[in-house]
Amino acid sequence: MANKHAALNTLIEPVVTAMGFDLWGVDYLAQGKHSRLVIYIESAEGVTVDDCASVSRQVSGVLDVEDPIAGEYRLEVSSPGMDRPLFTLDQFARFKGSRVQVKLSVPFEGRRKFQGQLAGVEGDEILLQLDGQEYCFPVESIEQARVVPQFDN
């Protein structure tokens, strides 16, 4: 699946960049006829619904020509939002100190889901602090990661 994501990133990023946006990430969820391709874009000026629609039209044209995904799927274009998914080591480093939720592809100490403070990045691993302990997870073992929004009262 990592190769599929890399191929989709390579195909989609030039289109998104040419339109003046940054590609935050691509998430392909293969679920038969209910598969979804979610493209996250961002911009210093913010992202509007019209921006998402424009990017969707442009990317859809490229995907129709290149046909990288067999079968049916639904294309969604979105801002990463406050609970943004994290895809790369650079993104993890950028959100050091934030609370994050991590889901591993295989269990570690009997569990796959962890939530704690992102202590940083070391090599190709993220450092997560929770319950007074620090955990190191190789980025390739992470199935999903998201920033957990914090609201001050």
Side-chain angles (χ1 to χ4, degrees):
M1 191 59 79
N3 288 343
K4 172 72 84 179
H5 280 93
L8 288 168
N9 264 318
T10 301
L11 191 61
I12 294 166
E13 187 167 26
V15 177
V16 172
T17 304
M19 295 183 71
F21 299 98
D22 294 321
L23 179 64
W24 182 259
V26 175
D27 206 1
Y28 176 64
L29 307 153
Q31 301 169 330
K33 290 196 313 187
H34 303 288
S35 296
R36 288 181 12 200
L37 175 59
V38 184
I39 300 169
Y40 297 100
I41 61 171
E42 71 173 359
S43 166
E45 294 79 34
V47 175
T48 68
V49 173
D50 289 339
D51 294 335
C52 292
S54 295
V55 170
S56 178
R57 280 190 296 277
Q58 291 298 315
V59 168
S60 184
V62 170
L63 294 174
D64 287 347
V65 170
E66 298 294 329
D67 202 20
I69 300 172
E72 296 178 29
Y73 62 93
R74 186 175 68 229
L75 174 62
E76 298 175 16
V77 177
S78 173
S79 160
M82 291 177 63
D83 65 337
R84 65 184 50 222
L86 300 173
F87 297 98
T88 66
L89 286 170
D90 288 341
Q91 291 172 351
F92 281 102
R94 182 172 158 187
F95 283 90
K96 177 182 176 180
S98 298
R99 188 155 192 79
V100 296
Q101 189 175 50
V102 174
K103 182 178 177 185
L104 303 176
S105 49
V106 294
F108 176 77
E109 294 183 352
R111 60 193 266 207
R112 290 181 57 203
K113 294 181 180 181
F114 294 84
Q115 184 169 310
Q117 184 176 14
L118 184 56
V121 173
E122 206 169 272
D124 66 346
E125 297 181 328
I126 67 155
L127 307 174
L128 190 66
Q129 289 182 338
L130 70 129
D131 302 329
Q133 291 187 307
E134 188 168 273
Y135 295 88
C136 295
F137 297 119
V139 76
E140 67 269 2
S141 72
I142 298 172
E143 186 176 305
Q144 283 183 332
R146 286 193 171 277
V147 173
V148 177
Q150 301 293 303
F151 300 100
D152 297 330
N153 290 336

